[in-house]
Amino acid sequence: MLVIGVDPGTASTGYGLVRQIQGGELELVDYGVFTTPSDQCMSKRLVKLYDDLTTLLTLHRLDSGAVEQLFFQKNVTTAITVGQARGVALLAIAQAGVPVDEYTPREIKQAVVGYGGADKIQVQKMVKTLLNMETIPRPDDAADALAVAICHLHSSQTRRHLEESL
């Protein structure tokens, strides 16, 4: 099962592709960030993000996708722009015909580290361990996107087990 995780933002959107192979082992496929020029108007930045995501989605036969949900922000302007990037990510994935779910930062930390209050470095170290990476993935947005993908794989595996037991 190949999934994409997305950590949305207008300046930088992280993506991570992770495959779950037999026995539940995780395999890193690809990760990185899409950036947009800060001097462009928001509509052009959102189009660039959409185009970048769409291109990536056409390169892989994805089974599923996940996007990090917006958490409460004190800065309303930041919350709105992140929300716009989330919408673009959800749209791009859905238009590619890929089922997509959303997870809160707390759910992601719980799934990856086992503790919903984990800090960023704990999540990054666990991502490194779970994906057998030599170093912590950089930049942070890419590491966060990989955590979203891992969370989704763990959550969907749990859902499958529950459905099979009913």
Side-chain angles (χ1 to χ4, degrees):
M1 175 179 214
L2 178 61
V3 304
I4 184 170
V6 178
D7 178 35
T10 50
S12 177
T13 291
Y15 67 88
L17 293 125
V18 178
R19 178 178 285 117
Q20 188 168 31
I21 53 181
Q22 288 190 358
E25 188 177 335
L26 301 177
E27 175 183 73
L28 174 63
V29 175
D30 191 15
Y31 69 98
V33 294
F34 299 123
T35 59
T36 63
S38 60
D39 62 343
Q40 279 190 339
C41 67
M42 185 57 64
S43 60
K44 287 186 179 183
R45 294 174 83 180
L46 294 173
V47 168
K48 182 178 182 330
L49 174 58
Y50 178 81
D51 290 343
D52 289 345
L53 276 168
T54 301
T55 299
L56 180 69
L57 293 166
T58 60
L59 296 175
H60 300 276
R61 294 195 63 204
L62 296 167
D63 297 297
S64 194
V67 177
E68 184 173 358
Q69 284 184 350
L70 183 62
F71 59 94
F72 176 75
Q73 298 253 349
K74 291 181 182 176
N75 183 335
V76 175
T77 303
T78 301
I80 290 170
T81 60
V82 171
Q84 290 171 325
R86 282 188 73 253
V88 166
L90 290 166
L91 174 65
I93 295 168
Q95 279 193 330
V98 177
V100 62
D101 287 308
E102 303 171 69
Y103 299 94
T104 66
R106 188 167 199 75
E107 289 172 318
I108 295 164
K109 293 172 184 179
Q110 178 69 39
V112 174
V113 179
Y115 170 58
D119 63 30
K120 189 172 274 299
I121 193 68
Q122 289 174 304
V123 174
Q124 291 171 344
K125 285 180 179 178
M126 189 56 95
V127 166
K128 173 186 170 279
T129 300
L130 291 171
L131 297 177
N132 298 311
M133 300 174 78
E134 291 185 17
T135 61
I136 288 174
R138 296 280 184 230
D140 289 351
D141 295 324
D144 292 347
L146 288 168
V148 173
I150 292 167
C151 169
H152 183 59
L153 283 166
H154 287 173
S155 297
S156 52
Q157 182 179 22
T158 301
R159 270 194 301 257
R160 276 194 308 275
H161 288 309
L162 287 172
E163 290 169 0
E164 290 170 4
S165 69
L166 294 176

